[in-house]
C-alpha cells in the first residue's frame, strides 16, 4: 500500500496555515544555507515537487515511488524530470549528479543504509549529499509517533533517526544546520515560541547535514 496516495492532494495544504508557513520558511532558510553550487540536482523522494520548484539548479530530477505524489509533482514542477523509483535502487549511473538531496525521505525508505549508499554512488567526484531528517529526539517526532500509533497516514509507516544515528552512518558532516525548535502546539508569535523552545532545550524538528 502507498501511504501517501490518500493524502497526496492535501500534502502541501499545511504549509498554508500560519504555523505551517512559519515552519516551512525556517526549514527553507536552513536548507538554502547548506546547498552548494552545481548544475545537477537529484531529489530522492521528491514528493509533490515542493523543493524542486524552489531550488536554483539548471538540471533537476525528482525520483518518487508514490504514483499519486509523482503525478502532482509532474504538474507542479514541470521544469524537473520525474522518474519512478526507490531510493534503494536508483536508476542512474555512477557520477550522474552534483547534488543529491534527501529531505525527510529516510523516514519512509525500507533500507536506510542502502539508500544512502545509492545516493553516494550517483554523485560525481566532489559532489554533495544533503540529508534532512525529522530529528527523532524532537517534540515533533514524538507527535508524529503518536499520530502513527493512531493510524494517521503517512506516520504509520515512518521511522525516525537522530543526528547521532545519521552521523554513525555517514561520519562527520562538512556542514550542518537545524530548524524549528518550537513545540508543535506552540501558539503565535512563533519567533517567541522558537526562543522558548531553545531555552527548554528542545532539539530542532529538522536536522540537516552536508557530506562530500
Amino acid at each position: 500500500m502507498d501511504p501517501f496516495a490518500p493524502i497526496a492532494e492535501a500534502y502541501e495544504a499545511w504549509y498554508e496555515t500560519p504555523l505551517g508557513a512559519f515552519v516551512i520558511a525556517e526549514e527553507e532558510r536552513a536548507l538554502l544555507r547548506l546547498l552548494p553550487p552545481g548544475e545537477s540536482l537529484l531529489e530522492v523522494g521528491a514528493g509533490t515537487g515542493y523543493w524542486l520548484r524552489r531550488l536554483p539548479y539548471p538540471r533537476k530530477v525528482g525520483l518518487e515511488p508514490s504514483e499519486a505524489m509523482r503525478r502532482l509533482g509532474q504538474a507542479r514542477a514541470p521544469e524537473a524530470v520525474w522518474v519512478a523509483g526507490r531510493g534503494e535502487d536508483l536508476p542512474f549511473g555512477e557520477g550522474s549528479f552534483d547534488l543529491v538531496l534527501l529531505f525527510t525521505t529516510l523516514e519512509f525508505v525500507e533500507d536506510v543504509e542502502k539508500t544512502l549508499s545509492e545516493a553516494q554512488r550517483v554523485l560525481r567526484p566532489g559532489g554533495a549529499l544533503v540529508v534532512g531528517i525529522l530529528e527523532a529526539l524532537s517534540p515533533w517526532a514524538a507527535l508524529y509517533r503518536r499520530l502513527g500509533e493512531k493510524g494517521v497516514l503517512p506516520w504509520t509507516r515512518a521511522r525516525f533517526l537522530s543526528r547521532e544515528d545519521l552521523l554513525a552512518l555517514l561520519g562527520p558532516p562538512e556542514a550542518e544546520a537545524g530548524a524549528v525548535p518550537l513545540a508543535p502546539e506552540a501558539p503565535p508569535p512563533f519567533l517567541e515560541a522558537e526562543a522558548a523552545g531553545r531555552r527548554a532545550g528542545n532539539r530542532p524538528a529538522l536536522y540537516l547535514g552536508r557530506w562530500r
Side-chain angles (χ1 to χ4, degrees), residues 104-168:
T104 63
T105 295
L106 293 180
E107 289 78 6
F108 300 100
V109 302
E110 292 181 8
D111 190 325
V112 170
E113 291 188 43
K114 185 70 188 309
T115 299
L116 292 172
S117 175
E118 279 288 277
Q120 292 170 312
R121 179 184 66 80
V122 302
L123 279 173
R124 66 164 179 78
L129 171 64
V130 175
V131 181
I133 57 169
L134 295 168
E135 165 61 62
L137 302 179
S138 72
W140 290 80
L143 168 64
Y144 297 144
R145 286 192 194 94
R146 182 63 177 143
L147 292 176
E149 291 168 359
K150 291 182 175 181
V152 178
L153 294 173
W155 307 112
T156 53
R157 299 281 293 275
R159 75 158 68 80
F160 299 97
L161 301 172
S162 68
R163 173 184 179 273
E164 290 78 8
D165 295 329
L166 199 55
L167 269 58

Side-chain angles (χ1 to χ4, degrees), residues 1-33:
M1 174 191 169
D2 174 5
F4 289 94
I7 62 171
E9 290 286 347
Y11 188 73
E12 295 185 20
W14 185 68
Y15 303 156
E16 299 174 6
T17 67
L19 178 58
F22 177 83
V23 166
I24 199 66
E26 291 298 298
E27 292 181 342
E28 183 167 353
R29 253 190 292 277
L31 176 59
L32 290 176
R33 286 200 302 269

Side-chain angles (χ1 to χ4, degrees), residues 53-89:
R53 301 197 298 271
R54 285 161 170 77
L55 301 184
Y57 291 85
R59 177 181 167 230
K60 296 186 278 192
V61 178
L63 180 126
E64 174 54 49
S66 167
E67 181 181 355
M69 298 284 273
R70 192 173 62 251
R71 186 172 60 249
L72 287 171
Q74 288 170 327
R76 295 174 182 178
E79 67 273 23
V81 174
W82 285 84
V83 178
R86 300 166 62 247
E88 295 90 343
D89 187 20

